Amino acid sequence: MDSVINMKDIIKSFFIGTPNELHALKKININIKKGEFVSVVGQSGSGKSTLMNIIGALDRPTSGEYKLDDADICRLGDNELSDIRNQKIGFVFQTFNLIPRSNALRNVEIPMLYNGVGASKRVKRAKELLDMVGMCDRMNHLPNELSGGQKQRVAIARSMANNPSIILADEPTGALDSQTGRMVMDIFHKLHKEEGKTIILITHNAELAGETERIITIKDGEIVTECASSQQERM
């Protein structure tokens, strides 16, 4: 399979040249194939959030090489990175990041609006995506009228709006109870198996990581282990 993410010797430093200089990532090397379901595991302060921001083209490394679908991320301008985020990567966050004054349908439409999709096509696809995550009957509800699990399902539908090849999920079950978290993970497995999406799960939860095909463990800004999951046959 072709690589969709290829990182070589990625370093990310903060406060460079000061007494407080911090090396958050230290020569990270990662290769993720198209259609893989991979987890990045680490405790708070391990560097996994910094790594997520770079994978998602939300931040740039201090040095190193990063290619996403053969695009050299380190050499692209802000507008080009914005296009890549909008078209190639679907983001799912622990805090949902829904727009409070927009209903579920509108929240799912928004990425398509930025991508220039016409109104009728936006509405049709948003309804299809909400139906896929079991939220069609809540499409007219505002975020404050939804439970945490319902918000996350809307967020997953929104992440799929522009049919990205990659889903980047940052602690997607962290704010949910175990039963609701199970439902959210089942949706990710469905997207992986039925839609062929490349999914990168950022988590501190070893049990959730065990459901993915490969586990990358990061500690103090370095990859300490990388192995196939012993539970990947579970689903």
Side-chain angles (χ1 to χ4, degrees):
M1 280 188 253
D2 296 331
S3 295
V4 290
I5 288 172
N6 196 319
M7 291 183 154
K8 184 177 180 181
D9 294 335
I10 292 293
I11 292 174
K12 181 63 179 180
S13 302
F14 298 95
F15 314 117
I16 299 171
T18 74
N20 297 323
E21 186 167 332
L22 172 66
H23 302 292
L25 298 176
K26 307 166 187 174
K27 290 197 172 182
I28 296 290
N29 292 281
I30 290 177
N31 190 294
I32 296 176
K33 303 292 187 183
K34 181 179 180 180
E36 270 197 289
F37 193 168
V38 177
S39 54
V40 177
V41 181
Q43 297 303 314
S44 296
S46 63
K48 69 181 188 300
S49 294
T50 302
L51 179 59
M52 182 211 72
N53 288 335
I54 293 176
I55 291 174
L58 296 166
D59 197 6
R60 302 171 188 267
T62 304
S63 64
E65 299 177 9
Y66 174 26
K67 289 189 176 181
L68 190 157
D69 272 347
D70 293 326
D72 191 340
I73 297 299
C74 300
R75 295 180 181 272
L76 298 181
D78 290 344
N79 289 338
E80 293 169 305
L81 290 179
S82 179
D83 288 342
I84 281 178
R85 288 193 300 269
N86 193 37
Q87 296 169 15
K88 291 183 177 290
I89 305 172
F91 294 91
V92 182
F93 298 99
Q94 179 177 347
T95 52
F96 318 124
N97 287 14
L98 300 179
I99 296 175
R101 295 186 179 182
S102 295
N103 63 24
L105 184 68
R106 182 65 173 170
N107 265 284
V108 177
E109 282 187 65
I110 287 171
M112 292 182 277
L113 178 65
Y114 291 135
N115 210 27
V117 179
S120 61
K121 288 185 178 179
R122 288 199 312 267
V123 171
K124 180 181 179 182
R125 177 151 176 82
K127 287 181 178 179
E128 289 173 350
L129 290 169
L130 287 170
D131 185 53
M132 181 187 72
V133 298
M135 287 295 294
C136 211
D137 61 337
R138 296 286 188 273
M139 70 172 64
N140 295 316
H141 286 61
L142 296 173
N144 66 4
E145 298 171 325
L146 302 174
S147 68
Q150 290 172 334
K151 290 176 187 176
Q152 196 60 294
R153 283 188 279 162
V154 172
I156 293 171
R158 180 188 58 191
S159 77
M160 291 289 294
N162 289 322
N163 197 25
S165 58
I166 300 166
I167 302 294
L168 184 55
D170 182 25
E171 300 282 9
T173 65
L176 308 176
D177 62 71
S178 59
Q179 182 177 358
T180 308
R182 174 73 266 148
M183 184 184 302
V184 167
M185 285 300 294
D186 286 345
I187 293 173
F188 285 126
H189 284 293
K190 181 177 180 180
L191 290 175
H192 174 235
K193 288 193 171 185
E194 297 182 11
E195 302 283 337
K197 300 301 178 185
T198 304
I199 301 180
I200 304 166
L201 175 69
I202 312 293
T203 183
H204 69 277
N205 189 318
E207 185 177 348
L208 291 184
E211 297 187 22
T212 68
E213 296 174 323
R214 184 157 56 102
I215 303 171
I216 299 169
T217 303
I218 185 169
K219 181 180 181 181
D220 297 330
E222 296 179 291
I223 293 175
V224 292
T225 61
E226 184 173 350
C227 60
S229 167
S230 60
Q231 300 180 44
Q232 64 176 296
E233 299 298 328
R234 177 192 175 280
M235 302 302 294

